[in-house]
Amino acid sequence: MSDVQLRYDCFLGDVRFVLGGVNFSTDWGWIPIFDFALSFRLIGEALVREGSAVFEFTDSDHVIEFNVQDERVVVRTNYAIGQGVVELSEFSRATVEFLSRVRTRIEGEFPDLRENVHYRTALGQFW
């Protein structure tokens, strides 16, 4: 399995993502969950440093935009109406917990994955 296969072809599904009463969930059935969780974790760190970030879905033109304003993260997408707002610290904590839950689930189902060099490399500093 290559890095690209691991990140984009494995562990497909949907993500429930509701923020400030706005539903940004994906009901498309093809979201690469590991990549999504890892990307959100990286976005959480980028927001602290840079104040903005964008997540682009691989197989569509959908995007999620994140901007920090007064220690709050404002989230907008081009596929849902409205914007969600959350404290930066809460968003960062949620991204850590989300990646942890995804890892626990996929490593539980596929224990040999922990030995996969591409998996370990993708996780990098979060290993």
Side-chain angles (χ1 to χ4, degrees), residues 38-53 68 88 91-93 95-96 125-126:
L38 182 58
S39 295
F40 263 52
R41 179 70 171 88
L42 293 168
I43 285 169
E45 290 193 348
L47 290 176
V48 171
R49 289 187 316 272
E50 301 162 22
S52 66
V68 177
L88 177 58
F91 182 82
S92 295
R93 184 175 56 256
T95 66
V96 170
Q125 65 189 8
F126 310 125

Side-chain angles (χ1 to χ4, degrees), residues 15-117:
V15 175
R16 185 168 188 278
F17 178 29
V18 178
L19 184 64
V22 180
N23 188 352
F24 300 112
S25 300
T26 65
D27 295 322
W28 310 321
W30 51 261
I31 303 303
I33 304 299
F34 172 67
D35 179 69
F36 191 88
L38 182 58
S39 295
F40 263 52
R41 179 70 171 88
L42 293 168
I43 285 169
E45 290 193 348
L47 290 176
V48 171
R49 289 187 316 272
E50 301 162 22
S52 66
V54 175
F55 177 84
E56 298 179 18
F57 289 91
T58 306
D59 290 333
S60 78
D61 60 351
H62 297 307
V63 298
I64 305 174
E65 299 175 351
F66 304 86
N67 291 290
V68 177
Q69 299 172 356
D70 299 321
E71 294 300 312
R72 298 171 74 179
V73 180
V74 178
V75 179
R76 295 180 186 90
T77 72
N78 64 349
Y79 64 87
I81 297 172
Q83 67 180 26
V85 180
V86 64
E87 294 294 323
L88 177 58
S89 60
E90 184 179 338
F91 182 82
S92 295
R93 184 175 56 256
T95 66
V96 170
E97 291 171 4
F98 180 45
L99 179 57
S100 178
R101 284 193 315 270
V102 167
R103 285 189 63 191
T104 298
R105 183 169 182 178
I106 63 177
E107 290 172 13
E109 290 181 39
F110 307 97
D112 292 344
L113 187 61
R114 294 180 57 85
E115 304 307 317
N116 182 290
V117 67

